[in-house]
Amino acid sequence: MDLVREARRPSLTGVAAILARGVCRHFRDLGAGCLLETPLRSGRRADVMALTRNGEIVIVEIKSGPQDFRADRKWPEYRAFCDRLYFAVGNGFPKDLIPEDAGLIVADGYGAAVLREAPAHPLAGARRKAVTLRFARLAAARLQALGDPPDVAAL
């Protein structure tokens, strides 16, 4: 992982950015740390990844609307990188579109509520360690980039 490249500012915009803010506030209130647009070993990016107090890894896939959900079929790949997988949607989203085997969060720019808990699919120890270390290194790189921005030419 190129930490200089990964330290760049997450690019969620519009409705997705608003929902992500509420989701991150919710997890922060639970004592978890969150990162936006977290790159996974598979090459995909998780919209929100949270590391809970007990070391559980949660991925939240943000869906800004029904078309966004219908067009995106990459989300099953996220299960290999988390203990729990949720979808976060706005209040007007048709909730029956969300698969039963994933958690459901309704969010806005100020907070979020879990309407359905995600089933637990505990990661194997080696995968947990790898994902947790990647999360920590990315968080540190992003924090460092705030005070010492990377050379733009290197990006």
Side-chain angles (χ1 to χ4, degrees), residues 69-139:
F69 177 79
R70 289 185 185 108
D72 179 9
R73 292 293 164 211
K74 67 186 182 299
W75 61 265
E77 297 176 35
Y78 297 152
R79 288 191 195 282
F81 301 94
C82 63
D83 297 298
R84 295 182 190 271
L85 176 65
Y86 289 89
F87 284 93
V89 299
N91 196 34
F93 190 97
K95 292 157 191 67
D96 58 326
L97 288 180
I98 303 300
E100 290 290 324
D101 62 343
L104 176 59
I105 297 173
V106 173
D108 61 21
Y110 302 98
V114 175
L115 296 188
R116 182 175 65 230
E117 285 295 336
H121 301 281
L123 291 173
R127 175 61 62 98
R128 176 179 311 288
K129 180 179 179 182
V131 173
T132 302
L133 287 173
R134 193 174 180 93
F135 182 98
R137 291 184 70 229
L138 179 59

Side-chain angles (χ1 to χ4, degrees), residues 26 42 63 83 88 113 117 120 141 144 151:
H26 170 76
S42 65
K63 291 297 159 209
D83 297 298
E117 285 295 336
Q144 182 179 6
D151 180 10

Side-chain angles (χ1 to χ4, degrees), residues 1-67:
M1 170 171 58
D2 180 355
L3 287 178
V4 171
R5 183 167 288 122
E6 296 305 333
R8 75 185 190 339
R9 187 176 178 94
S11 61
L12 288 173
T13 59
V15 172
I18 292 167
L19 297 177
R21 179 177 184 232
V23 166
C24 289
R25 284 179 163 203
H26 170 76
F27 280 102
R28 180 194 63 204
D29 290 347
L30 296 175
C34 290
L35 291 174
L36 298 177
E37 292 191 344
T38 306
L40 305 173
R41 199 81 157 134
S42 65
R44 302 284 188 204
R45 286 183 177 274
D47 291 334
V48 177
M49 182 179 274
L51 182 61
T52 68
R53 289 178 190 218
N54 65 358
E56 191 172 58
I57 297 164
V58 176
I59 290 180
V60 181
E61 178 69 0
I62 306 289
K63 291 297 159 209
S64 57
Q67 284 85 355

